Amino acid sequence: MCDEAADLQDVLTTVPRPAEGSAVDPIGLEPVDEVEILTLVDNVFDGLLTSDERTRRAGFGVGVTAAPVFEGGTTTVGMIAEHGFSALVRVRRGDHTSTLLFDTGLSPDAMVTNAERLGISLADIHAVVLSHGHFDHVGGLVGLAGKRGTRSLPMVVHPLAWTKRRLAMPGRAQELPTLSRRALRGEGFEVVERRTPSLLLDGCVLVTGEVDRTTEYEHGMPRPHEAWTGSEWIHDPLVLDDQALVVHVRDRGLVVLTGCGHAGAVNIVRHAQRLTGVRELHALVGGLHLGGPAFEPVIPPTVAALTELAPSLVVPGHCTGWRAQHALAAALPSAWVQGSSGTTYRLAAAA
């Protein structure tokens, strides 16, 4: 069962274990009654967006901050938006609920500040899952370590998340901040490295591990993105540490949560389908990395494939890009929803 109490048993059941089966023999992902995805950090915050039966928005006034230029010395504020992604995932099965943190945003303080403004306690987290090692998904670990005791808090990462990377532009090379295994362990995180699929929360949540690349059009990062091998810089198109989080909502289908979607949105969804044996895609949430000239040619086949899958909810965020947002909104008008920091998406089993 998904256990609510934060005791030793929670920690033991949260630690990933090798998921039985393979792309040929489906993994036994336990169906859940409800999943809520709260976007703590995204590239956008729109305080005028309205809520509906499946979407709960944070508006202006969720927080108050000192501002001496105003009468009374304070002003109301909304959510912080930045070029990064972080989501709090609550999974309920029966009367038991568990909580995961998926990525942590770009800056040390945006995620924890947004959580505070929403009245969310990060002390309730059972585990952290990192989609990959890029700095705009892991920067908030600094704030998380400072806000709560992280001793023995499991953190699921791909072994290549520590890879040193850079953008080799003409005439200059910009090295990206690199996540430190030693520093995280020093902060008390229980780092668990896995390349293969893992089941968390006693079988309620699947971390995909490395994603099979099967489409003809999702080729990954362009030439400027490079990785250090220990002796030389080489082109790193695949970002092999990219992984997604998957939940099976009973009688509805799969909910797939991505960080950047470097493996390709369609590759990720098809990989989740093969791993679980569940064909229905209920929801796709997170970054799809379709912005910019290198990725815009991928938009039409991606939109066509997702349209064929007919999800009930699509929330493209972070690095998706405005052209892909418009294309998805036009192709899937009843499913597409504008993402925004501080938004909760509720997906429940059929009544």
Side-chain angles (χ1 to χ4, degrees):
M1 300 290 285
C2 300
D3 199 347
E4 186 173 18
D7 56 19
L8 179 59
Q9 186 60 35
D10 286 315
V11 174
L12 292 175
T13 59
T14 300
V15 172
R17 63 183 188 275
E20 295 180 2
S22 65
V24 176
D25 302 311
I27 290 168
L29 179 61
E30 294 290 339
V32 303
D33 296 305
E34 181 180 86
V35 58
E36 283 191 348
I37 299 173
L38 165 58
T39 305
L40 286 174
V41 177
D42 205 346
N43 288 38
V44 173
F45 170 67
D46 186 341
L48 301 180
L49 292 172
T50 57
S51 301
D52 56 32
E53 66 278 359
R54 65 182 177 185
T55 306
R56 186 168 68 251
R57 303 289 191 180
F60 293 109
V62 294
V64 176
T65 190
V69 299
F70 290 94
E71 295 286 348
T74 63
T75 186
T76 56
V77 293
M79 296 284 98
I80 296 173
E82 63 180 11
H83 185 83
F85 188 76
S86 176
L88 198 71
V89 182
R90 295 190 183 98
V91 177
R92 180 179 65 82
R93 208 171 91 193
D95 296 329
H96 301 278
T97 303
S98 295
T99 305
L100 292 172
L101 181 64
F102 182 76
D103 287 349
T104 64
L106 173 70
S107 66
D109 58 345
M111 179 192 68
V112 294
T113 299
N114 283 347
E116 288 175 354
R117 291 177 182 177
L118 292 169
I120 301 297
S121 173
L122 296 177
D124 296 332
I125 297 169
H126 292 83
V128 180
V129 178
L130 298 183
S131 64
H132 63 301
H134 278 160
F135 65 102
D136 50 334
H137 295 258
V138 302
L141 289 170
V142 178
L144 178 62
K147 280 293 181 182
R148 56 152 293 155
T150 55
R151 298 297 167 186
S152 299
L153 181 67
M155 177 179 295
V156 185
V157 302
H158 187 284
L160 294 179
W162 325 110
T163 301
K164 183 184 296 186
R165 292 178 167 118
R166 71 176 186 178
L167 297 177
M169 308 300 291
R172 64 184 179 90
Q174 179 182 355
E175 190 167 322
L176 306 181
T178 304
L179 192 62
S180 168
R181 179 195 289 110
R182 180 189 304 175
L184 288 177
R185 287 177 172 161
E187 291 289 352
F189 293 104
E190 182 184 333
V191 178
V192 182
E193 300 182 26
R194 287 194 58 80
R195 305 180 75 107
T196 54
S198 298
L199 288 172
L200 279 68
L201 303 180
D202 207 17
C204 294
V205 173
L206 170 68
V207 180
T208 62
E210 289 181 18
V211 174
D212 292 341
R213 314 301 172 102
T214 57
T215 65
E216 297 178 352
Y217 47 86
E218 293 171 311
H219 303 301
M221 297 291 282
R223 179 64 196 176
H225 188 260
E226 295 184 342
W228 178 249
T229 66
S231 58
E232 62 177 337
W233 290 100
I234 62 170
H235 181 206
D236 179 25
L238 298 183
V239 192
L240 281 175
D241 45 317
D242 185 75
Q243 53 188 359
L245 188 148
V246 183
V247 179
H248 180 196
V249 177
R250 190 186 317 277
D251 301 322
R252 298 289 194 186
L254 299 178
V255 175
V256 178
L257 179 61
T258 68
C260 262
H262 285 296
V266 181
N267 278 333
I268 292 169
V269 170
R270 290 178 179 174
H271 187 70
Q273 290 173 320
R274 287 195 302 275
L275 288 177
T276 62
V278 178
R279 302 305 305 170
E280 297 78 15
L281 175 65
H282 186 42
L284 175 63
V285 180
L288 305 185
H289 217 290
L290 293 169
F295 295 96
E296 287 170 4
V298 184
I299 294 174
T302 299
V303 171
L306 293 178
T307 301
E308 185 176 348
L309 288 164
S312 298
L313 177 69
V314 175
V315 189
H318 182 37
C319 53
T320 298
W322 69 269
R323 292 185 188 276
Q325 291 279 13
H326 282 271
L328 287 163
L332 295 162
S334 62
W336 180 88
V337 172
Q338 172 65 56
S340 179
S341 290
T343 301
T344 299
Y345 309 98
R346 177 180 175 270
L347 299 153

